[in-house]
Amino acid sequence: MADERRRVAGPVHVEGEVVATKRVGGYRHLTLTAPGLPERFRAGTFVAVSVAGHIARRPLWIHRVRASSAFGPTLDVVVQVRGSGTAWLAAQPVGTRVAVTGPLGRPFALPKDPVACLLVGEGYAAAPLFPLAERLRERGCGVSLVVSAPDEAGLLSALEARRSVRSVTVLTADGSVGQRGRVPDVVDDLVARSDADIVYAAGPTAVLASVAAAAERAGSWSQVAVEVPTPCGTGLCHGCALPVVGEDGVDRVVRGCTEGPVVRGDRVRWDALGAGS
Amino acid sequence: MSAPLPGPVMVAAGCGGTGRELEPFCGDDGLDGLHVVTRSITLDARSGGPGPRVVEVPGGLVNAVGLPNPGLEHFLATELPWLVRAGARVLVSIAGATMGEYADLARRLARAPGVAGLEVNVGAPDDVGAGLYEVREPFHSASVIAAVRREFASDRPVLAKLRPDVSRIVEGARSCHEAGATAVVIGNAVPAAFPDGRAGGLSGPAVAPIALRCVAEVRRAHPDVPTIGCGGVRDLASANAYLDAGARAVQVGTALLHDPTTVARLRATLRTTAHLPGPEETP
Ligand SMILES: Cc1cc2nc3c(=O)[nH]c(=O)nc-3n(C[C@H](O)[C@H](O)[C@H](O)COP(=O)(O)OP(=O)(O)OC[C@H]3O[C@@H](n4cnc5c(N)ncnc54)[C@H](O)[C@@H]3O)c2cc1C
Ligand SMILES: Cc1cc2nc3c(=O)[nH]c(=O)nc-3n(C[C@H](O)[C@H](O)[C@H](O)COP(=O)(O)O)c2cc1C
């Protein structure tokens, strides 16, 4: 007995096309068509993209979707070149066809009530926080956004987000723009100032761990978007081990791509994930 | 007694998630009628190995996932009923630390509603299946198959999944068949190392020629032993290579991790080609 509703809501695997590519700071922003995918998007989900000559997929956060454009519905991703796969992606011209699977993973959970929310994002990983901010604002939540990076080139622009949030804090480790500092050093202050009931975070493991700990100290909920090496992205291979504590208090290893990537911050076993790296 | 042979396209063990994650990529039919081999199930839950569990190498993947699974009890209560409801023909892959565990797993699965058959994992690369019964000798594999067969109804298939080791495959296939295996799955991840030297298993296109050679050898020596090819199947050509060599069906693993629609597409294509060995009765 096929569950039709589930299949409609579930991810798709389609041939997409690069319809725009733009260098912004240290990143490459790609706009892709992917029939059926943007319509299913929820903030915090990601796509798995195929790279020529490679078997494993490359997971990328969905930064934004447009319901309509000259190319129909599109989605944007932000690529930071790390190895051969991201280098290939960043170099593709408009017109390149790529296999795209998504939206994948559990999205950010949204509060039912219009509560105060703090969103902390570092580097490219801040990408899913922008559409999240819009959803939260639609629900009447007061949103404080923190965008952080080692330097200016690593910052995602918060210009557009200013419309949907109450306050924006820009944080760079080298002080090149905004406030000088790193998330772990200022996070308690940020949480206190925002008076947030829920703290959302996306970024490197050390940043997520510090935010989760600060939220717990302040008695707030936290939702963190965790990145672990992800071979397939679809939940098929069990390769993306994410150590958590289950609701029953028992240690478990779940799939980052399927039971995550967004999980409650107090559920992650940060030490087993090697937080601090 | 005869048991139907699954196929012609099956989902290989450990590469279809719990089934739920695969279903959205299987088109209108979903999992209906599809032969799905589960990831290997052990009596007790296993959390799997440390990361990185899977890395890419030219031509394939090296994995040391470590057989993560919720244990038999939990599998029977949750994953199996879901698969059955989705219409999948479920072949449960089993792995044990002792011969007794294999027999135990088989006995309890024989009573579970909806189990279409068993696949006995007697060929995991060393260390990847750390703690598993030592079945490298064909004699040991055959004893496991015999123990499983005693517990599992003879009208349902028991598949023996062997490592594609050409120096042992002929004897292994013959002895497992004699011990009661309905067919022999030839192919598993091939013992290999991660770039950092850790033990793992190689899968994907790189291993296809190795498993194909094994299928051909078994076919030559024992044409009466039904075989199922597994290793690097990703398209019609790679599937047909096994079928042409005498395999009765193929399993798709790594290709699903690259393109989760592979099984649905192959199923649709093979249905319309002349090869189709189909779910025949074996003598
Ligand atoms: C849920 C999620 C969302 C992500 N979103 C983005 C994004 O929006 N923008 C961005 O630039 N990067 C993102 N990443 C990280 C990005 O996927 C990796 O940097 C990329 O896969 C590395 O591929 P490569 O070939 O360039 O590097 P290599 O080091 O050559 O990668 C080799 C292999 O390791 C895997 N891998 C290595 N490091 C990682 C990692 N940190 N995360 C996942 N897989 C890894 C790759 O998938 C590939 O299979 C995300 C990761 C995850 C898990
Ligand atoms: C991530 C991963 C997990 C696997 N898990 C299992 C398993 O639980 N049991 C098993 O018998 N084989 C397992 N295998 C082996 C595959 O089922 C298959 O035999 C092998 O990978 C070769 O086929 P392929 O090249 O199509 O992947 C696994 C392979 C991979 C890549």
Side-chain angles (χ1 to χ4, degrees):
Chain A
M1 183 184 61
D3 185 342
E4 289 302 328
R5 210 174 48 83
R6 241 186 67 87
R7 211 173 301 159
V8 169
V12 295
H13 178 85
V14 291
E15 180 172 270
E17 187 182 337
V18 177
V19 295
T21 164
K22 188 168 62 167
R23 227 197 81 166
V24 183
Y27 304 121
R28 175 65 62 166
H29 289 235
L30 299 178
T31 302
L32 305 169
T33 57
L37 203 157
E39 297 86 323
R40 292 168 158 85
F41 166 73
R42 285 157 79 195
T45 56
F46 66 97
V47 287
V49 178
S50 296
V51 169
H54 290 266
I55 290 176
R57 313 295 300 284
R58 269 44 180 187
L60 299 168
W61 299 113
I62 301 172
H63 181 35
R64 67 138 84 185
V65 297
R66 284 187 199 79
S68 62
S69 75
F71 311 98
T74 58
L75 66 95
D76 286 9
V77 293
V78 180
V79 180
Q80 173 169 45
V81 173
R82 177 170 310 176
S84 57
T86 43
W88 182 89
L89 273 172
Q92 293 318 297
V94 164
T96 304
R97 297 187 165 274
V98 283
V100 185
T101 313
L104 296 164
R106 290 208 178 151
F108 289 111
L110 302 173
K112 289 197 179 61
D113 303 316
V115 298
C117 301
L118 172 67
L119 280 50
V120 182
E122 171 144 322
Y124 66 77
L129 297 183
F130 295 85
L132 172 67
E134 287 172 31
R135 290 296 85 70
L136 291 170
R137 190 194 56 163
E138 284 164 14
R139 291 176 176 234
C141 297
V143 177
S144 310
L145 176 66
V146 179
V147 198
S148 126
D151 55 22
E152 183 172 8
L155 284 175
L156 286 191
S157 167
L159 268 185
E160 275 186 62
R162 287 186 194 275
R163 286 185 292 117
S164 43
V165 306
R166 199 163 58 188
S167 77
V168 176
T169 305
V170 172
L171 195 65
T172 52
D174 65 358
S176 50
V177 253
Q179 198 179 318
R180 177 194 296 269
R182 294 170 206 274
V183 171
D185 303 330
V186 296
V187 65
D188 283 299
D189 186 42
L190 293 168
V191 172
R193 250 196 292 153
S194 65
D195 201 21
D197 299 289
I198 309 180
V199 186
Y200 295 92
T205 305
V207 167
L208 302 183
S210 73
V211 172
E216 198 151 358
R217 282 191 291 273
S220 315
W221 294 104
S222 67
Q223 290 258 311
V224 295
V226 189
E227 291 182 19
V228 290
T230 301
C232 76
T234 46
L236 302 181
C237 80
H238 284 85
C240 51
L242 174 60
V244 298
V245 183
E247 300 208 0
D248 50 9
V250 176
D251 283 2
R252 282 210 179 76
V253 178
V254 298
R255 292 166 292 183
C257 72
T258 304
E259 282 79 29
V262 178
V263 291
R264 268 172 52 177
D266 60 334
R267 292 253 177 264
V268 180
R269 288 189 278 136
W270 299 105
D271 47 341
L273 244 194
S277 63
Chain B
M1 256 316 198
S2 64
L5 205 60
V9 183
M10 311 166 66
V11 176
C15 299
T18 65
R20 274 176 208 254
E21 301 80 12
L22 186 61
E23 195 236 22
F25 304 109
C26 289
D28 291 339
D29 288 349
L31 301 185
D32 197 27
L34 180 64
H35 283 102
V36 176
V37 182
T38 68
R39 63 197 190 290
S40 293
I41 302 295
T42 48
L43 272 180
D44 297 321
R46 286 170 66 111
S47 56
R53 291 174 166 184
V54 179
V55 307
E56 219 177 34
V57 294
L61 299 175
V62 176
N63 90 79
V65 176
L67 305 183
N69 79 92
L72 181 66
E73 207 73 55
H74 189 270
F75 170 79
L76 290 175
T78 59
E79 295 184 18
L80 177 65
W82 187 90
L83 282 164
V84 171
R85 230 181 11 256
R89 312 238 179 108
V90 188
L91 292 120
V92 182
S93 169
I94 56 174
T98 62
M99 188 119 68
E101 279 192 17
Y102 277 102
D104 222 21
L105 285 156
R107 183 178 323 117
R108 292 165 66 184
L109 283 160
R111 292 195 300 256
V115 175
L118 298 183
E119 182 179 280
V120 188
N121 182 356
V122 283
D126 22 320
D127 292 345
V128 173
L132 293 194
Y133 186 59
E134 178 48 68
V135 284
R136 241 172 299 178
E137 293 302 326
F139 162 77
H140 288 142
S141 317
S143 330
V144 167
I145 297 300
V148 166
R149 246 314 169 214
R150 273 195 289 278
E151 305 292 348
F152 199 76
S154 57
D155 60 349
R156 287 185 282 174
V158 168
L159 312 180
K161 183 172 180 183
L162 299 177
R163 208 190 274 187
D165 175 350
V166 75
S167 66
R168 293 170 189 237
I169 194 70
V170 169
E171 192 191 342
R174 181 192 53 78
S175 50
C176 285
H177 186 56
E178 279 172 4
T182 315
V184 178
V185 180
I186 295 178
N188 202 321
V190 173
F194 282 83
D196 68 3
R198 266 189 316 138
L202 177 66
S203 66
V207 306
I210 300 173
L212 184 60
R213 167 78 186 278
C214 291
V215 169
E217 295 291 337
V218 171
R219 168 75 163 185
R220 197 165 11 250
H222 303 292
D224 57 315
V225 176
T227 60
I228 295 172
C230 177
V233 173
R234 59 200 176 277
D235 53 17
L236 189 60
S238 49
N240 277 342
Y242 283 112
L243 299 175
D244 289 342
R248 306 282 291 272
V250 293
Q251 297 189 346
V252 183
T254 299
L256 282 170
L257 311 184
H258 176 71
D259 177 348
T261 65
T262 307
V263 157
R265 280 188 293 106
L266 258 185
R267 215 181 156 199
T269 324
L270 276 179
R271 238 183 233 146
T272 58
T273 66
H275 276 99
L276 226 162
E280 286 169 22
E281 299 288 308
T282 61

